[in-house]
Amino acid sequence: MMISEILPHGMTLRRFGRRDLLKLSGTGAAALGVGILARPNPVKAQTMTTEWDKVFPKSAAVDQEKVTFENRYGIRLTADLYLPKNRSGGRLAGLVVGGPFGAVKEQSSGLYAQTMAERGFAALAFDPSFTGESGGEPRNVASPDINTEDFMAAVDFLGLHPSVDQERIGVIGICGWGGMALNAVAVDKRVKAVATSTMYDMSRLMSRGYNDSVTPEQRSQTLEQLSRQRWDDARNGGPAYGPAANELEGGEPQFLVDYHAYYRTPRGYHARAVNSGNAWTVTNPLSFMNFPLMTYIAEISPRPILLIHGENAHSRYFSETAFAAAAEPKELLIIPGASHVDLYDRVDLIPFDRLTQFFQEHLS
């Protein structure tokens, strides 16, 4: 075992302040007062682009290619494949990279993938089903089942690529896709090692709120309103959407200010990202509410897990709980002074050297 320290109700939304909403389940908080929030939104799948539209600069040391493949449910996924330019004729170790929750591959996952390609890996950053350039209708909805499958479909694709050794594939999951990555690797024995960065357990968050603060009565009320919203959606022929993501009203906790500073400013804004001022469906939390993603995390063993989190991240407890539940070999790496969002794009804080060492060792 290794722990590394590199230092050391019933109110409508009109009457609900943002602080009150934070006591509920993150994106699932929109479930309260759905009649106030519900608004039709004819969001459509995006046409696949060919130009470089990432929020990070293109590396001269890496080849990037837009690729597509289907998951087990027949949904077409779009991804960016990054390969080192100076690769020899031998097959490379491969990495599948996904996350954060509500982001697109042009943001954090692409940065991680390109950086790991600079370090000698074939790395695939994908848009999850129903988001970004990937297919699936309706738009801007998540599923703990289908999005877990997305990781495994990416392993399908990467393992059949002529540049990749299919016996040397690892996974990196960022933020909310970290929990999905762990769930996928517990099932998919083809994956030899998994790392997460600034991980969220979205099923725990949506069902129990931040710091598990949702009461049984609040959970019941949320489920009651989400259930009835389904009738409204069926009557209207499509889902209602919640409020624009990451807008600030003043007085928010620092972590919401941090999200805004990434997703709603030139630092990380991308028009296709749900978190960049777009919206999830109101009923998005439903399938997460009784789908505990971490149930089988111990079954990842004897394959290794590396959990990376910021010392000052509001979400740090997700990685600490996952670490406690996981079996050996496992490592929890705490980055001093780092917040949750710092590990999206702060290359001076993201421990790429440790990630490289970890995957070189376990994908050898």
Side-chain angles (χ1 to χ4, degrees), residues 185-259:
V185 175
V187 174
D188 195 335
K189 301 300 185 181
R190 299 172 299 176
V191 179
K192 300 302 191 292
V194 57
T196 65
S197 182
T198 202
M199 189 270 287
Y200 260 57
D201 176 350
M202 293 307 300
S203 57
R204 180 180 179 183
L205 176 66
M206 291 200 189
S207 61
R208 296 160 62 182
Y210 283 107
N211 299 302
D212 303 330
S213 59
V214 167
T215 67
E217 294 75 19
Q218 288 172 321
R219 174 182 166 87
S220 179
Q221 180 190 14
T222 298
L223 288 171
E224 175 74 25
Q225 294 186 330
L226 286 174
S227 300
R228 291 186 174 276
Q229 180 62 37
R230 293 182 63 109
W231 270 330
D232 289 341
D233 291 350
R235 183 180 301 112
N236 294 328
Y241 287 78
N246 293 310
E247 288 190 345
L248 297 181
E249 301 168 358
E252 288 83 2
Q254 183 60 45
F255 76 91
L256 288 184
V257 176
D258 291 345
Y259 280 137

Side-chain angles (χ1 to χ4, degrees), residues 158-195:
L158 202 56
L160 296 179
H161 194 278
S163 294
V164 176
D165 180 349
Q166 66 179 209
E167 299 303 324
R168 294 193 294 145
I169 293 178
V171 163
I172 300 175
I174 307 164
C175 183
W177 254 249
M180 245 78 81
L182 294 171
N183 192 48
V185 175
V187 174
D188 195 335
K189 301 300 185 181
R190 299 172 299 176
V191 179
K192 300 302 191 292
V194 57

